[in-house]
Amino acid sequence: MMNDIFKGYKGKALEILKKYNIRVWSEATIKTTRGDFKGIVLPRSENDDDLHIVLKLDNGYNIGIATNTIKQIKEFGYKEAHYKIPEKEFPTSEDKPNIKLFGTGGTIASRLDYRTGAVIPAFSPGELYGAVPELADICNLTTEKLFAVFSENMGPHQYKTLAVAIGEAISQGIEGIVIGHGTDTMHHTASALSFMVQNTPVPIVMVGSQRSSDRPSSDAALNLIHAVKTASESDIAEVLVCMFGPTSDEYGLLHRGTRVRKMHSSYRSTFRTIGDIPLAMVDRNKITPLQQNYNHRRKDTQVNILPYFEQKVSLIYYYPNMQPDIIDSLVDNGYRGIVIAGTGLGHVNKPLYPAIKRACQKNVAIYMTVQTLWGYTHMFVYDTGRDLMSNGVIPADNMLPEVAYIKLGWALGQTEDLDEVKKIMLTPVIDEITEREPYNGYLVFQGGVPEIEQFLKKIHK
Ligand code: ASP
Protein backbone atom coordinates (compact mmCIF):
# COMPACT_ATOMS: atom_id res chain seq x y z
CA MET A 1 0.00 0.00 0.00
CA MET A 2 2.79 2.28 1.08
CA ASN A 3 4.47 1.82 -2.30
CA ASP A 4 1.29 2.60 -4.17
CA ILE A 5 1.50 6.29 -3.42
CA PHE A 6 5.00 6.25 -4.96
CA LYS A 7 4.08 3.95 -7.88
CA GLY A 8 7.20 2.81 -9.70
CA TYR A 9 9.62 5.15 -7.91
CA LYS A 10 12.71 3.69 -6.30
CA GLY A 11 16.23 4.59 -5.16
CA LYS A 12 17.24 8.22 -5.28
CA ALA A 13 13.97 9.39 -6.86
CA LEU A 14 11.90 7.69 -4.15
CA GLU A 15 14.08 9.26 -1.45
CA ILE A 16 13.45 12.73 -2.83
CA LEU A 17 9.68 12.22 -3.07
CA LYS A 18 9.61 11.04 0.53
CA LYS A 19 11.84 13.89 1.68
CA TYR A 20 9.42 16.52 0.33
CA ASN A 21 6.28 14.57 1.14
CA ILE A 22 5.22 14.26 -2.49
CA ARG A 23 3.05 11.43 -3.87
CA VAL A 24 2.34 10.23 -7.39
CA TRP A 25 -0.49 12.43 -8.78
CA SER A 26 0.65 15.38 -6.65
CA GLU A 27 0.43 18.69 -8.44
CA ALA A 28 3.80 20.11 -7.67
CA THR A 29 6.34 22.83 -8.35
CA ILE A 30 9.85 21.48 -8.67
CA LYS A 31 12.69 23.95 -8.25
CA THR A 32 15.83 22.79 -10.06
CA THR A 33 19.20 24.14 -11.06
CA ARG A 34 17.72 24.48 -14.55
CA GLY A 35 14.62 26.43 -13.60
CA ASP A 36 11.23 25.73 -12.08
CA PHE A 37 8.70 23.21 -13.43
CA LYS A 38 5.02 22.84 -12.58
CA GLY A 39 2.90 19.80 -13.28
CA ILE A 40 1.54 16.47 -12.10
CA VAL A 41 3.94 13.82 -10.78
CA LEU A 42 3.36 10.74 -12.95
CA PRO A 43 3.92 7.15 -11.91
CA ARG A 44 6.81 5.21 -13.38
CA SER A 45 7.16 1.62 -14.46
CA GLU A 46 9.36 -0.99 -12.85
CA ASN A 47 11.80 -0.86 -15.76
CA ASP A 48 12.48 2.86 -15.50
CA ASP A 49 15.59 4.28 -13.87
CA ASP A 50 15.64 5.72 -10.35
CA LEU A 51 17.24 9.00 -11.37
CA HIS A 52 14.24 10.96 -12.66
CA ILE A 53 10.92 12.28 -11.49
CA VAL A 54 8.41 12.45 -14.32
CA LEU A 55 6.17 15.46 -14.51
CA LYS A 56 3.22 15.99 -16.83
CA LEU A 57 3.32 19.70 -17.71
CA ASP A 58 0.21 21.82 -18.34
CA ASN A 59 0.91 21.75 -22.08
CA GLY A 60 0.52 17.97 -22.04
CA TYR A 61 4.16 17.04 -22.44
CA ASN A 62 5.89 14.73 -19.98
CA ILE A 63 9.37 15.59 -18.83
CA GLY A 64 11.84 13.65 -16.73
CA ILE A 65 13.58 15.79 -14.12
CA ALA A 66 17.00 14.53 -13.07
CA THR A 67 17.10 14.05 -9.32
CA ASN A 68 20.55 15.63 -9.01
CA THR A 69 19.16 18.97 -10.28
CA ILE A 70 16.30 19.14 -7.78
CA LYS A 71 16.54 21.83 -5.08
CA GLN A 72 13.03 21.66 -3.67
CA ILE A 73 9.54 20.25 -4.38
CA LYS A 74 6.26 21.69 -3.15
CA GLU A 75 2.85 20.09 -3.50
CA PHE A 76 -0.03 22.45 -4.28
CA GLY A 77 -2.74 19.96 -5.20
CA TYR A 78 -3.55 16.35 -6.05
CA LYS A 79 -5.15 15.07 -9.25
CA GLU A 80 -5.42 11.33 -9.72
CA ALA A 81 -6.00 10.40 -13.37
CA HIS A 82 -8.00 7.41 -14.52
CA TYR A 83 -7.65 6.81 -18.19
CA LYS A 84 -9.98 4.40 -19.86
CA ILE A 85 -11.95 4.90 -23.03
CA PRO A 86 -15.40 3.38 -22.60
CA GLU A 87 -15.81 0.48 -25.03
CA LYS A 88 -19.09 0.55 -26.92
CA GLU A 89 -20.30 -1.61 -29.75
CA PHE A 90 -20.12 0.23 -33.08
CA PRO A 91 -23.69 0.49 -34.41
CA THR A 92 -24.42 -0.37 -38.05
CA SER A 93 -27.22 0.67 -40.37
CA GLU A 94 -28.03 -0.39 -43.91
CA ASP A 95 -28.20 3.08 -45.40
CA LYS A 96 -24.64 3.98 -44.42
CA PRO A 97 -21.52 3.19 -46.45
CA ASN A 98 -19.21 0.41 -45.25
CA ILE A 99 -15.80 1.76 -44.39
CA LYS A 100 -12.73 -0.09 -43.24
CA LEU A 101 -10.16 1.44 -40.96
CA PHE A 102 -6.71 -0.13 -40.93
CA GLY A 103 -4.60 0.71 -37.91
CA THR A 104 -0.84 0.88 -38.20
CA GLY A 105 -0.11 2.79 -34.99
CA GLY A 106 1.19 6.30 -34.39
CA THR A 107 -0.17 8.95 -32.05
CA ILE A 108 -3.68 8.67 -33.48
CA ALA A 109 -3.94 5.15 -32.14
CA SER A 110 -2.30 6.02 -28.87
CA ARG A 111 -3.20 7.17 -25.46
CA LEU A 112 -1.13 8.19 -22.55
CA ASP A 113 -0.46 5.31 -20.24
CA TYR A 114 -0.42 6.89 -16.82
CA ARG A 115 1.13 3.76 -15.35
CA THR A 116 4.35 4.36 -17.25
CA GLY A 117 3.85 7.93 -18.43
CA ALA A 118 4.46 6.73 -21.99
CA VAL A 119 2.32 7.10 -25.08
CA ILE A 120 1.13 3.61 -25.95
CA PRO A 121 -1.02 2.28 -28.79
CA ALA A 122 -4.72 1.64 -28.11
CA PHE A 123 -7.09 0.74 -30.86
CA SER A 124 -10.32 -1.16 -31.22
CA PRO A 125 -13.65 -0.33 -32.94
CA GLY A 126 -15.31 -0.16 -29.54
CA GLU A 127 -12.70 2.24 -28.18
CA LEU A 128 -12.93 4.36 -31.30
CA TYR A 129 -16.68 4.59 -31.06
CA GLY A 130 -16.43 5.30 -27.34
CA ALA A 131 -13.97 8.09 -28.05
CA VAL A 132 -15.53 9.54 -31.23
CA PRO A 133 -19.24 8.60 -31.35
CA GLU A 134 -19.89 10.91 -34.37
CA LEU A 135 -18.20 8.30 -36.57
CA ALA A 136 -21.34 6.19 -36.37
CA ASP A 137 -23.39 9.02 -37.95
CA ILE A 138 -21.22 8.81 -41.04
CA CYS A 139 -20.66 5.13 -41.78
CA ASN A 140 -20.54 1.53 -40.68
CA LEU A 141 -16.97 1.11 -39.54
CA THR A 142 -14.97 -2.07 -39.23
CA THR A 143 -11.40 -1.93 -38.05
CA GLU A 144 -8.35 -4.08 -38.43
CA LYS A 145 -5.15 -3.51 -36.55
CA LEU A 146 -2.34 -4.41 -38.93
CA PHE A 147 0.52 -3.01 -36.86
CA ALA A 148 0.99 -0.99 -33.72
CA VAL A 149 4.15 0.93 -34.46
CA PHE A 150 5.29 4.51 -34.48
CA SER A 151 5.74 5.44 -38.07
CA GLU A 152 9.54 5.52 -38.08
CA ASN A 153 9.18 1.73 -37.93
CA MET A 154 7.12 1.47 -41.10
CA GLY A 155 9.00 0.08 -44.12
CA PRO A 156 8.71 -2.08 -47.22
CA HIS A 157 7.23 -5.07 -45.38
CA GLN A 158 4.47 -2.92 -43.89
CA TYR A 159 3.83 -1.10 -47.20
CA LYS A 160 3.32 -4.42 -48.99
CA THR A 161 1.13 -5.89 -46.24
CA LEU A 162 -1.00 -2.77 -46.24
CA ALA A 163 -1.33 -2.75 -50.05
CA VAL A 164 -2.44 -6.39 -50.07
CA ALA A 165 -4.94 -5.81 -47.23
CA ILE A 166 -6.37 -2.79 -49.09
CA GLY A 167 -6.70 -4.90 -52.26
CA GLU A 168 -8.62 -7.56 -50.36
CA ALA A 169 -10.98 -5.04 -48.76
CA ILE A 170 -11.67 -3.40 -52.12
CA SER A 171 -12.36 -6.68 -53.88
CA GLN A 172 -14.81 -7.54 -51.10
CA GLY A 173 -16.73 -4.36 -51.93
CA ILE A 174 -15.66 -1.89 -49.24
CA GLU A 175 -16.78 1.65 -50.04
CA GLY A 176 -13.91 3.57 -48.57
CA ILE A 177 -10.69 2.98 -46.64
CA VAL A 178 -9.10 4.91 -43.80
CA ILE A 179 -5.57 4.22 -42.58
CA GLY A 180 -4.54 5.41 -39.14
CA HIS A 181 -0.82 6.14 -39.28
CA GLY A 182 1.91 8.02 -37.44
CA THR A 183 2.46 11.40 -39.02
CA ASP A 184 6.26 11.31 -39.16
CA THR A 185 6.52 9.06 -42.21
CA MET A 186 2.95 9.23 -43.41
CA HIS A 187 4.06 10.79 -46.68
CA HIS A 188 6.42 7.89 -47.38
CA THR A 189 3.61 5.38 -46.89
CA ALA A 190 1.20 7.57 -48.88
CA SER A 191 3.51 7.49 -51.87
CA ALA A 192 4.24 3.76 -51.45
CA LEU A 193 0.49 3.09 -51.53
CA SER A 194 0.02 5.45 -54.49
CA PHE A 195 2.35 3.19 -56.48
CA MET A 196 1.36 -0.17 -55.01
CA VAL A 197 -2.42 0.35 -55.14
CA GLN A 198 -3.37 1.62 -58.58
CA ASN A 199 -6.75 2.31 -60.12
CA THR A 200 -8.60 2.20 -56.82
CA PRO A 201 -12.39 2.63 -57.16
CA VAL A 202 -12.71 4.17 -53.67
CA PRO A 203 -10.92 6.79 -51.56
CA ILE A 204 -7.96 5.55 -49.49
CA VAL A 205 -7.49 8.14 -46.78
CA MET A 206 -4.48 8.29 -44.50
CA VAL A 207 -4.92 10.07 -41.22
CA GLY A 208 -2.92 10.71 -38.08
CA SER A 209 -2.68 13.14 -35.25
CA GLN A 210 0.03 15.40 -33.96
CA ARG A 211 -1.26 15.40 -30.37
CA SER A 212 -2.47 12.32 -28.52
CA SER A 213 -6.10 12.04 -27.58
CA ASP A 214 -5.55 12.67 -23.88
CA ARG A 215 -4.49 16.24 -24.61
CA PRO A 216 -7.05 19.04 -24.83
CA SER A 217 -5.57 20.30 -28.09
CA SER A 218 -5.65 16.85 -29.70
CA ASP A 219 -6.45 16.79 -33.40
CA ALA A 220 -7.13 13.03 -33.30
CA ALA A 221 -10.94 13.07 -33.18
CA LEU A 222 -11.49 15.77 -35.78
CA ASN A 223 -8.95 14.33 -38.20
CA LEU A 224 -10.64 10.96 -37.82
CA ILE A 225 -14.08 12.45 -38.47
CA HIS A 226 -12.76 14.28 -41.56
CA ALA A 227 -11.02 11.16 -42.85
CA VAL A 228 -14.04 8.91 -42.30
CA LYS A 229 -16.28 11.48 -44.00
CA THR A 230 -13.87 11.63 -46.96
CA ALA A 231 -13.71 7.83 -47.26
CA SER A 232 -17.51 7.63 -47.07
CA GLU A 233 -18.57 10.54 -49.26
CA SER A 234 -15.73 11.86 -51.36
CA ASP A 235 -15.66 11.34 -55.11
CA ILE A 236 -11.84 11.28 -55.09
CA ALA A 237 -10.71 7.68 -55.58
CA GLU A 238 -7.03 8.11 -54.77
CA VAL A 239 -4.57 7.72 -51.91
CA LEU A 240 -4.99 10.88 -49.84
CA VAL A 241 -3.62 12.37 -46.66
CA CYS A 242 -6.25 14.08 -44.52
CA MET A 243 -4.97 16.41 -41.78
CA PHE A 244 -5.59 19.89 -40.34
CA GLY A 245 -5.47 22.70 -42.93
CA PRO A 246 -5.03 25.80 -40.75
CA THR A 247 -3.53 25.62 -37.26
CA SER A 248 -7.09 26.07 -35.95
CA ASP A 249 -9.65 23.32 -36.28
CA GLU A 250 -11.59 25.08 -39.05
CA TYR A 251 -11.12 22.48 -41.79
CA GLY A 252 -8.94 19.63 -42.96
CA LEU A 253 -7.13 19.41 -46.28
CA LEU A 254 -6.97 16.44 -48.61
CA HIS A 255 -3.53 16.06 -50.12
CA ARG A 256 -2.58 13.77 -53.00
CA GLY A 257 -0.41 10.89 -51.75
CA THR A 258 2.55 11.68 -54.02
CA ARG A 259 2.62 15.44 -53.47
CA VAL A 260 2.36 15.69 -49.71
CA ARG A 261 4.96 16.23 -47.03
CA LYS A 262 5.12 16.70 -43.27
CA MET A 263 6.49 20.22 -42.91
CA HIS A 264 6.36 21.06 -39.22
CA SER A 265 7.51 18.96 -36.28
CA SER A 266 4.71 19.98 -33.92
CA TYR A 267 1.96 22.08 -35.59
CA ARG A 268 -1.27 20.25 -36.17
CA SER A 269 -1.37 21.82 -39.65
CA THR A 270 1.85 20.05 -40.50
CA PHE A 271 1.01 18.50 -43.89
CA ARG A 272 1.35 20.58 -47.02
CA THR A 273 0.89 19.81 -50.66
CA ILE A 274 4.17 20.59 -52.44
CA GLY A 275 4.33 21.57 -56.10
CA ASP A 276 0.57 21.87 -56.39
CA ILE A 277 -2.49 22.92 -54.41
CA PRO A 278 -4.38 20.44 -52.24
CA LEU A 279 -7.21 18.42 -53.79
CA ALA A 280 -10.01 19.46 -51.44
CA MET A 281 -11.06 20.89 -48.09
CA VAL A 282 -13.15 18.88 -45.68
CA ASP A 283 -15.12 19.85 -42.61
CA ARG A 284 -17.84 18.14 -40.59
CA ASN A 285 -20.53 19.16 -43.14
CA LYS A 286 -18.98 19.10 -46.58
CA ILE A 287 -16.10 18.32 -48.89
CA THR A 288 -15.10 21.25 -51.12
CA PRO A 289 -12.94 20.36 -54.13
CA LEU A 290 -10.06 22.72 -54.87
CA GLN A 291 -9.05 20.85 -58.03
CA GLN A 292 -11.00 19.06 -60.71
CA ASN A 293 -8.19 16.85 -61.89
CA TYR A 294 -8.51 13.61 -59.92
CA ASN A 295 -9.61 9.99 -60.31
CA HIS A 296 -13.32 9.60 -59.67
CA ARG A 297 -15.03 7.05 -57.46
CA ARG A 298 -16.39 3.97 -59.26
CA LYS A 299 -18.84 1.27 -58.35
CA ASP A 300 -16.72 -1.72 -59.43
CA THR A 301 -14.29 -3.62 -57.20
CA GLN A 302 -11.29 -3.68 -59.55
CA VAL A 303 -7.90 -2.54 -58.30
CA ASN A 304 -4.28 -3.32 -59.24
CA ILE A 305 -2.08 -4.29 -56.35
CA LEU A 306 1.65 -4.08 -57.16
CA PRO A 307 3.44 -4.87 -53.88
CA TYR A 308 7.09 -4.66 -54.92
CA PHE A 309 10.03 -3.10 -53.16
CA GLU A 310 13.81 -3.39 -53.40
CA GLN A 311 15.29 -2.64 -50.00
CA LYS A 312 18.77 -1.76 -51.22
CA VAL A 313 17.87 1.79 -52.15
CA SER A 314 19.04 4.91 -50.37
CA LEU A 315 18.18 8.58 -50.24
CA ILE A 316 21.06 10.94 -49.58
CA TYR A 317 20.75 14.60 -48.76
CA TYR A 318 23.66 16.44 -50.29
CA TYR A 319 25.59 18.90 -48.12
CA PRO A 320 28.62 20.99 -49.05
CA ASN A 321 31.83 19.00 -48.69
CA MET A 322 30.10 15.63 -48.89
CA GLN A 323 32.83 13.03 -49.42
CA PRO A 324 32.77 10.42 -52.20
CA ASP A 325 33.16 7.55 -49.71
CA ILE A 326 29.46 7.98 -48.87
CA ILE A 327 28.58 6.91 -52.42
CA ASP A 328 31.35 4.31 -52.58
CA SER A 329 30.17 2.62 -49.41
CA LEU A 330 26.61 2.35 -50.69
CA VAL A 331 27.87 0.76 -53.90
CA ASP A 332 30.22 -1.57 -52.03
CA ASN A 333 27.36 -2.61 -49.76
CA GLY A 334 25.26 -3.74 -52.70
CA TYR A 335 22.85 -0.81 -53.04
CA ARG A 336 21.07 -0.87 -56.38
CA GLY A 337 19.56 2.59 -56.33
CA ILE A 338 20.41 6.00 -54.91
CA VAL A 339 18.26 9.11 -54.89
CA ILE A 340 20.15 12.31 -54.28
CA ALA A 341 18.44 15.41 -52.93
CA GLY A 342 20.76 17.91 -54.58
CA THR A 343 21.16 21.64 -54.13
CA GLY A 344 19.51 24.21 -56.39
CA LEU A 345 18.53 22.73 -59.72
CA GLY A 346 20.08 19.34 -58.85
CA HIS A 347 23.75 19.71 -57.99
CA VAL A 348 26.52 18.07 -55.93
CA ASN A 349 30.22 18.94 -55.64
CA LYS A 350 32.93 17.85 -58.07
CA PRO A 351 34.69 15.35 -55.73
CA LEU A 352 31.60 13.14 -55.96
CA TYR A 353 31.73 12.83 -59.76
CA PRO A 354 34.13 9.86 -59.97
CA ALA A 355 32.20 7.98 -57.26
CA ILE A 356 28.94 8.64 -59.09
CA LYS A 357 30.47 7.53 -62.38
CA ARG A 358 31.74 4.32 -60.79
CA ALA A 359 28.33 3.67 -59.24
CA CYS A 360 26.55 4.08 -62.57
CA GLN A 361 29.11 1.83 -64.27
CA LYS A 362 28.27 -0.79 -61.65
CA ASN A 363 24.59 -0.56 -62.61
CA VAL A 364 23.44 1.46 -59.65
CA ALA A 365 20.49 3.63 -60.66
CA ILE A 366 21.07 7.24 -59.55
CA TYR A 367 18.27 9.82 -59.64
CA MET A 368 18.50 13.50 -58.82
CA THR A 369 15.85 15.51 -56.96
CA VAL A 370 15.97 18.96 -55.41
CA GLN A 371 16.26 20.01 -51.76
CA THR A 372 14.18 23.09 -52.48
CA LEU A 373 11.17 20.73 -52.75
CA TRP A 374 9.30 23.21 -54.94
CA GLY A 375 10.39 23.32 -58.58
CA TYR A 376 12.12 21.02 -61.04
CA THR A 377 15.58 19.60 -61.50
CA HIS A 378 17.13 21.48 -64.44
CA MET A 379 20.39 19.77 -65.15
CA PHE A 380 21.11 21.45 -68.49
CA VAL A 381 21.54 24.93 -67.00
CA TYR A 382 24.97 24.63 -65.36
CA ASP A 383 28.02 22.55 -66.19
CA THR A 384 27.55 20.71 -62.92
CA GLY A 385 24.20 19.32 -64.04
CA ARG A 386 25.52 18.40 -67.48
CA ASP A 387 28.58 16.68 -65.99
CA LEU A 388 26.44 14.71 -63.57
CA MET A 389 24.14 13.56 -66.35
CA SER A 390 27.09 12.50 -68.48
CA ASN A 391 28.24 10.45 -65.49
CA GLY A 392 24.89 8.67 -65.51
CA VAL A 393 22.65 10.63 -63.10
CA ILE A 394 19.03 10.86 -64.22
CA PRO A 395 17.01 13.96 -63.29
CA ALA A 396 13.70 13.11 -61.62
CA ASP A 397 11.84 16.30 -62.69
CA ASN A 398 9.71 17.56 -59.80
CA MET A 399 9.38 14.31 -57.86
CA LEU A 400 9.81 14.98 -54.17
CA PRO A 401 12.97 13.34 -52.76
CA GLU A 402 11.06 10.89 -50.53
CA VAL A 403 8.68 10.04 -53.34
CA ALA A 404 11.58 9.37 -55.71
CA TYR A 405 13.14 7.14 -53.04
CA ILE A 406 9.93 5.13 -52.65
CA LYS A 407 9.35 4.97 -56.40
CA LEU A 408 12.91 3.80 -57.06
CA GLY A 409 12.50 1.04 -54.45
CA TRP A 410 9.21 0.09 -56.07
CA ALA A 411 10.66 0.16 -59.63
CA LEU A 412 13.79 -1.84 -58.72
CA GLY A 413 11.54 -4.32 -56.93
CA GLN A 414 9.97 -5.09 -60.32
CA THR A 415 12.93 -5.30 -62.65
CA GLU A 416 16.73 -5.32 -62.89
CA ASP A 417 16.67 -3.73 -66.35
CA LEU A 418 17.73 -0.13 -65.73
CA ASP A 419 16.11 1.12 -68.96
CA GLU A 420 12.86 -0.33 -67.72
CA VAL A 421 13.46 1.26 -64.30
CA LYS A 422 14.01 4.61 -66.03
CA LYS A 423 10.77 4.22 -67.96
CA ILE A 424 8.90 3.45 -64.73
CA MET A 425 10.58 6.29 -62.85
CA LEU A 426 9.85 8.96 -65.44
CA THR A 427 6.29 7.89 -66.32
CA PRO A 428 3.99 9.48 -63.76
CA VAL A 429 1.59 7.13 -62.01
CA ILE A 430 -0.35 9.82 -60.20
CA ASP A 431 1.18 13.28 -60.42
CA GLU A 432 4.45 12.46 -58.71
CA ILE A 433 5.79 14.27 -61.78
CA THR A 434 3.65 17.11 -63.10
CA GLU A 435 4.01 19.14 -66.27
CA ARG A 436 3.98 22.38 -64.34
CA GLU A 437 3.56 23.63 -60.83
CA PRO A 438 0.75 26.17 -60.54
CA TYR A 439 2.02 29.71 -59.95
CA ASN A 440 -0.36 30.13 -57.02
CA GLY A 441 0.40 26.74 -55.49
CA TYR A 442 3.39 28.06 -53.62
CA LEU A 443 1.18 30.47 -51.70
CA VAL A 444 -2.39 29.24 -51.61
CA PHE A 445 -3.30 27.06 -48.63
CA GLN A 446 0.31 26.89 -47.53
CA GLY A 447 -0.53 27.93 -44.00
CA GLY A 448 -4.21 28.49 -44.51
CA VAL A 449 -5.73 31.73 -45.72
CA PRO A 450 -7.05 32.74 -42.27
CA GLU A 451 -3.55 32.71 -40.76
CA ILE A 452 -2.13 34.69 -43.64
CA GLU A 453 -4.86 37.28 -43.21
CA GLN A 454 -4.30 37.44 -39.48
CA PHE A 455 -0.58 37.82 -40.02
CA LEU A 456 -1.08 40.62 -42.53
CA LYS A 457 -3.46 42.39 -40.16
CA LYS A 458 -0.82 42.32 -37.44
CA ILE A 459 1.86 43.67 -39.77
CA HIS A 460 -0.32 46.48 -41.20
CA LYS A 461 -1.88 47.70 -37.96
N1 ASP B 1 6.14 9.57 -33.78
C1 ASP B 1 4.76 9.48 -34.17
C2 ASP B 1 4.69 8.65 -35.43
O1 ASP B 1 4.97 9.10 -36.49
C3 ASP B 1 4.16 10.81 -34.35
C4 ASP B 1 2.73 10.83 -34.77
O2 ASP B 1 2.02 9.86 -34.85
O3 ASP B 1 2.28 11.95 -35.05
O4 ASP B 1 4.35 7.52 -35.33
Side-chain angles (χ1 to χ4, degrees):
M1 199 59 218
M2 181 60 190
N3 271 343
D4 232 31
I5 63 168
F6 301 115
K7 268 177 226 144
Y9 283 91
K10 55 193 176 202
K12 186 84 188 132
L14 179 61
E15 260 173 46
I16 291 198
L17 288 182
K18 283 185 175 164
K19 174 171 165 197
Y20 293 105
N21 224 349
I22 301 291
R23 315 161 273 177
V24 160
W25 307 122
S26 284
E27 291 182 283
T29 310
I30 305 189
K31 283 191 190 308
T32 78
T33 51
R34 298 183 165 183
D36 297 352
F37 300 94
K38 217 173 103 196
I40 300 172
V41 177
L42 291 181
R44 308 212 72 197
S45 82
E46 306 79 57
N47 306 326
D48 290 329
D49 66 48
D50 61 353
L51 299 173
H52 293 88
I53 288 174
V54 178
L55 210 57
K56 185 174 180 62
L57 304 178
D58 287 346
N59 63 13
Y61 284 108
N62 299 339
I63 55 164
I65 298 181
T67 45
N68 59 6
T69 65
I70 294 175
K71 295 197 286 193
Q72 193 199 38
I73 316 183
K74 260 196 187 143
E75 180 181 285
F76 61 87
Y78 182 81
K79 222 184 218 170
E80 183 159 2
H82 295 282
Y83 190 90
K84 172 98 185 92
I85 301 175
E87 289 247 11
K88 290 187 192 154
E89 205 179 316
F90 203 96
T92 55
S93 89
E94 268 184 17
D95 58 342
K96 299 220 161 69
N98 295 319
I99 301 299
K100 177 119 194 187
L101 190 147
F102 289 111
T104 68
T107 303
I108 188 146
S110 306
R111 62 180 170 80
L112 190 81
D113 179 1
Y114 284 110
R115 193 179 52 82
T116 60
V119 175
I120 56 161
F123 179 88
S124 75
E127 271 196 338
L128 272 179
Y129 177 53
V132 194
E134 288 108 307
L135 297 178
D137 300 335
I138 308 173
C139 67
N140 301 321
L141 192 70
T142 48
T143 63
E144 187 177 336
K145 182 159 108 186
L146 290 177
F147 323 106
V149 296
F150 287 117
S151 71
E152 54 273 26
N153 301 306
M154 293 291 290
H157 164 72
Q158 287 78 5
Y159 303 153
K160 292 190 227 173
T161 309
L162 198 46
V164 170
I166 290 170
E168 277 165 16
I170 290 175
S171 52
Q172 285 160 14
I174 206 78
E175 291 160 280
I177 289 172
V178 176
I179 300 161
H181 197 286
T183 56
D184 294 355
T185 71
M186 194 187 293
H187 52 291
H188 295 81
T189 306
S191 65
L193 293 179
S194 301
F195 301 131
M196 291 182 179
V197 181
Q198 292 188 24
N199 197 37
T200 170
V202 299
I204 299 170
V205 191
M206 301 198 66
V207 67
S209 74
Q210 281 280 79
R211 318 249 165 99
S212 57
S213 52
D214 64 304
R215 295 176 60 185
S217 61
S218 175
D219 47 343
L222 198 55
N223 280 339
L224 205 52
I225 292 169
H226 290 160
V228 165
K229 185 170 176 74
T230 303
S232 306
E233 297 168 21
S234 167
D235 182 41
I236 309 174
E238 292 189 17
V239 175
L240 303 167
V241 164
C242 172
M243 292 285 293
F244 265 41
T247 44
S248 64
D249 55 7
E250 233 166 301
Y251 57 86
L253 285 173
L254 301 179
H255 306 274
R256 179 166 272 143
T258 54
R259 296 243 58 101
V260 63
R261 201 168 186 281
K262 184 172 183 178
M263 297 300 285
H264 199 285
S265 61
S266 58
Y267 280 8
R268 295 174 302 177
S269 54
T270 172
F271 282 90
R272 290 291 170 244
T273 288
I274 310 287
D276 209 339
I277 61 169
L279 286 175
M281 292 159 83
V282 53
D283 62 29
R284 278 193 156 88
N285 306 313
K286 58 185 184 312
I287 297 163
T288 313
L290 302 170
Q291 281 205 47
Q292 295 311 325
N293 128 43
Y294 58 80
N295 292 340
H296 295 260
R297 188 190 273 276
R298 307 188 312 270
K299 288 236 175 307
D300 64 79
T301 57
Q302 302 306 310
V303 60
N304 305 338
I305 305 299
L306 307 160
Y308 311 114
F309 207 94
E310 163 57 57
Q311 310 230 20
K312 287 286 197 181
V313 173
S314 178
L315 167 59
I316 58 177
Y317 192 93
Y318 175 75
Y319 48 86
N321 199 35
M322 182 179 264
Q323 303 293 306
D325 54 2
I326 298 271
I327 309 267
D328 287 339
S329 60
L330 288 173
V331 176
D332 297 343
N333 279 302
Y335 277 74
R336 293 181 52 213
I338 301 173
V339 171
I340 303 174
T343 52
L345 298 169
H347 303 144
V348 299
N349 61 7
K350 283 199 166 54
L352 293 195
Y353 292 6
I356 286 177
K357 190 169 182 182
R358 172 177 170 263
C360 292
Q361 280 165 351
K362 291 198 165 217
N363 278 334
V364 178
I366 305 195
Y367 285 80
M368 181 65 76
T369 60
V370 290
Q371 295 179 4
T372 56
L373 304 180
W374 282 84
Y376 292 73
T377 48
H378 283 295
M379 299 184 69
F380 286 107
V381 180
Y382 295 99
D383 280 353
T384 307
R386 281 195 287 265
D387 290 345
L388 286 170
M389 286 195 298
S390 70
N391 284 332
V393 173
I394 302 168
D397 287 339
N398 70 334
M399 240 191 283
L400 291 167
E402 296 85 1
V403 175
Y405 158 72
I406 294 283
K407 195 172 185 192
L408 189 53
W410 178 69
L412 283 166
Q414 298 172 57
T415 175
E416 287 187 0
D417 176 347
L418 292 193
D419 290 331
E420 188 57 28
V421 168
K422 182 172 176 184
K423 209 167 115 200
I424 297 173
M425 283 299 283
L426 300 185
T427 309
V429 172
I430 181 122
D431 273 6
E432 68 277 21
I433 294 174
T434 55
E435 259 171 41
R436 57 184 191 92
E437 295 186 352
Y439 72 94
N440 58 356
Y442 191 59
L443 299 172
V444 175
F445 293 114
Q446 303 302 330
V449 174
E451 285 104 322
I452 291 174
E453 278 172 5
Q454 238 177 18
F455 175 74
L456 290 177
K457 262 189 218 150
K458 264 191 214 153
I459 300 279
H460 303 289
K461 267 193 199 131

